[in-house]
Amino acid sequence: MADYSTQIVVIAGGPAGLSAAVQAAEDGAEVILIEKSAAVGGAANMGMGPLAIGSKYQKRQMYDITVEKALNMIMEYTHYNIDGRLVKRYLEQSADTIEWLEDMGVEFEGAYKYFTKSEPTWHIVKTDQGIGPRAASFMNKALYARAQELGVKVMLETAGKKILKDEDGKVCGVLAVDKEGKELEIACKAAIIATCGAGANPEMIKQETGYIFGKDMFNFAIPGNVGDGIKMAWEAGVDHVPVRIEQAANFEGIDDLPQSVPNIMMQPNLLVNLHGKRVMDEEQMQNTTFLSNAASHQKNRVLFSIVDSSIVKYYMRNGVDEISMVRFNPDVSDFTEGVKMAQESGNSGLFVADSIEELAEKTGIDVDNLVDTVEEYNDYCDTGDEEFFKRKKYMRPLTKAPYYAA
C-alpha cells in the first residue's frame, strides 16, 4: 500500500517544478512536490530571471522582439537541431508567464540584454539589493509561497528514484527516498519530472558529452545534482538521445578577483591559442557561446586574451568598451589592485610579463608565432584587420609593458 496518494507528483522544486505544481494546483489538482535538497529553487537561486518575448516591459522600453524573430534566431542558432514546435509554444507563452509571476507578487526590473549584440529578453527579478546574482531566488520564494497557499504538499529532502507503472503501462506512482534513507511510495495519476541536471556527476558528464569535469568542463556542480531525473525518464521509456550542451567559456581563476580584472580581459582585444594564432573576430567574445565554440576546437581547449598597459590605462580612464549584465560596471579603476591580489594569491589564470616573449614563456604559447601575431595585429590596427575584419574601433595595438594575459 502506498505511503501517500495524490493526483500529480512533481519531482524537484526548482522554478520548473514549482511552476508545474502551482499551475496544477490552480487548475484544481491535488499535488505533492518532492525535492531532494533542504530548500526549493535549485540552480535558479543563483540566476537573475527568466526569458520572455513580447512582454509589456519590452513594449514599454520600445524593443521590437517578436515570437517569429526569436524562433528564427533560435532555430538558426541551433542549426534546427531542436524541437521547433516546442520552442514556439514556449516563446508564445513567455510574456503571459511574466504576468502570471507578477500575480504572485514577483516584481521585475525590466527587460535587459545579456551583452551588447543580444536581444533584450532577460527579465531580471527585482530584489531589495538592486540588480545582481541570485535575484531569481525572490521569484522562487514567491512560487513556493503560492504553492503552499494552494495546498501543495512539499516534501523536502525527499528524492525521486523511480516512476512506477501499472500492468497496462500507465503511470501509477513514484518511488522516493527520504533523508533517513527510507523508501516511500506515492500513488498518483501522473508524474512530472522537473529535474534533468547532472552537473555533480563526473562519470555521467564524461559518458554523455566526452568532457572531463574539472579539466575541460567547469559547470555548476550543485550537490545531489547527479542525473536522477534523466535516469528516471530513461527507465520509464523516454528516448536516450545524444546530450547536447550550450557552453559558455570563462576565464580561469579570475572570477574571485575584483570585477575589473575579468571585465578588462573580456574586452575585444587580441585573442590567441597555444600556437600563438588568432582564431576569431574578438568582438564576438561577448557571446560566451561563440567564444566557447571557438575555444573547444583549440589545443587543450584554451585561448588567451592579451592586453598591454596602454590598453589598461585607456579603460581605467574611459571605462571598458563592452559591458554585460554579469559584468555591468564599466569602471575598472581598481584593475592594478586586482592584479596585485592575483599575484599575491598565486593565481593560475592571470599572467603578467615585461615582454611578449616572457608572456609566451609564462603561458606556454608558441613564442615565435606570438611575436609574429602581435606584430601583424599591431599593423592591422593602422591599416584594418585583414584576417577577421574586426571593426577599427576595437583595434588597439600592444606596444607597452607590462603585458597581461588571461
Side-chain angles (χ1 to χ4, degrees):
M1 185 174 176
D3 299 278
Y4 300 91
S5 181
T6 190
Q7 288 180 295
I8 297 175
V9 174
V10 178
I11 303 168
L18 288 168
S19 297
V22 168
Q23 185 63 64
E26 286 183 339
D27 290 341
E30 186 182 1
V31 183
I32 290 178
L33 183 149
I34 59 176
E35 165 57 46
K36 177 188 285 187
S37 69
V40 297
N45 282 333
M46 295 183 285
M48 293 168 67
L51 170 146
I53 303 296
S55 75
K56 64 182 182 183
Y57 294 99
Q58 290 161 331
K59 292 173 183 175
R60 189 180 301 158
Q61 293 163 226
M62 293 184 284
Y63 288 132
D64 182 25
I65 175 74
T66 63
V67 169
E68 179 182 1
K69 181 179 180 181
L71 179 64
N72 287 334
M73 286 177 67
I74 291 172
M75 297 310 293
E76 290 175 13
Y77 197 86
T78 57
H79 302 291
Y80 285 77
N81 206 11
I82 54 175
D83 186 338
R85 184 176 285 106
L86 187 63
V87 173
K88 179 172 179 281
R89 185 179 176 192
Y90 165 62
L91 296 175
E92 286 174 335
Q93 296 181 356
S94 60
D96 289 341
T97 298
I98 296 298
E99 296 189 18
W100 181 73
L101 288 165
E102 286 181 320
D103 288 342
M104 287 174 231
V106 180
E107 296 181 84
F108 293 91
E109 295 280 359
Y112 293 85
K113 296 183 176 187
Y114 176 45
F115 56 94
T116 305
K117 288 191 173 183
S118 60
E119 296 289 339
T121 60
W122 198 0
H123 288 63
I124 296 178
V125 177
K126 185 176 286 186
T127 74
D128 55 3
Q129 300 169 349
I131 293 177
R134 298 178 176 80
S137 64
F138 285 71
M139 175 185 73
N140 294 329
K141 288 175 187 174
L143 282 165
Y144 184 40
R146 178 61 175 155
Q148 291 179 308
E149 179 186 324
L150 290 166
V152 174
K153 181 177 178 62
V154 179
M155 300 170 64
L156 298 175
E157 298 182 280
T158 303
K161 291 298 179 185
K162 185 176 183 178
I163 304 296
L164 303 175
K165 295 183 178 181
D166 61 21
E167 56 189 18
D168 296 322
K170 294 182 178 179
V171 172
C172 65
V174 172
L175 192 65
V177 177
D178 67 15
K179 64 179 179 180
E180 308 296 337
K182 178 187 174 185
E183 280 197 348
L184 304 172
E185 184 178 329
I186 308 172
C188 63
K189 299 292 185 183
I192 298 173
I193 299 174
T195 173
C196 280
N201 189 335
E203 277 186 33
M204 197 169 182
I205 289 172
K206 185 176 181 181
Q207 179 181 330
E208 297 297 328
T209 72
Y211 286 88
I212 299 173
F213 178 75
K215 183 178 180 183
D216 52 12
M217 170 76 82
F218 302 89
N219 55 271
F220 287 132
I222 298 166
N225 204 356
V226 293
D228 289 341
I230 301 175
K231 294 172 186 174
M232 270 188 283
W234 286 339
E235 189 178 354
V238 171
D239 283 345
H240 187 159
V241 297
V243 172
R244 297 187 301 273
I245 51 178
E246 179 188 335
Q247 303 178 98
N250 201 6
F251 287 107
E252 181 182 346
I254 61 176
D255 265 352
D256 292 333
L257 299 174
Q259 182 180 286
S260 58
V261 178
N263 207 347
I264 280 185
M265 301 315 297
M266 193 66 184
Q267 296 306 306
N269 292 294
L270 181 64
L271 187 74
V272 301
N273 58 19
L274 281 166
H275 299 295
K277 298 290 188 179
R278 292 174 70 201
V279 300
M280 67 189 297
D281 169 2
E282 290 90 350
E283 186 178 346
Q284 306 303 327
M285 285 170 60
Q286 299 302 310
N287 185 321
T288 54
T289 299
F290 288 175
L291 177 60
S292 180
N293 288 344
S296 67
H297 295 292
Q298 309 308 316
K299 181 180 179 181
N300 296 351
R301 292 178 177 152
V302 168
L303 289 170
F304 292 88
S305 171
I306 301 175
V307 296
D308 75 343
S309 60
S310 67
I311 295 173
V312 169
K313 286 177 181 175
Y314 174 85
Y315 288 141
M316 291 173 74
R317 281 196 313 269
N318 303 293
V320 292
D321 292 319
E322 299 284 345
I323 60 172
S324 73
M325 289 308 299
V326 173
R327 300 189 179 99
F328 53 83
N329 189 354
D331 179 10
V332 290
S333 56
D334 59 348
F335 177 82
T336 304
E337 290 83 351
V339 170
K340 184 178 179 182
M341 187 186 305
Q343 291 174 316
E344 289 173 351
S345 65
N347 185 285
S348 61
L350 188 67
F351 306 86
V352 185
D354 290 325
S355 68
I356 293 297
E357 290 83 357
E358 183 188 359
L359 193 67
E361 183 180 343
K362 286 186 173 182
T363 56
I365 299 172
D366 183 283
V367 178
D368 293 336
N369 284 347
L370 183 59
V371 170
D372 290 343
T373 294
V374 170
E375 288 180 359
E376 185 176 58
Y377 184 81
N378 288 346
D379 288 341
Y380 289 157
C381 290
D382 291 329
T383 62
D385 182 9
E386 297 176 16
E387 191 166 19
F388 292 110
F389 309 107
K390 184 163 71 174
R391 286 193 288 169
K392 180 78 173 174
K393 64 181 286 189
Y394 296 116
M395 298 296 293
R396 293 195 175 91
L398 295 94
T399 57
K400 188 174 182 182
Y403 298 92
Y404 305 90

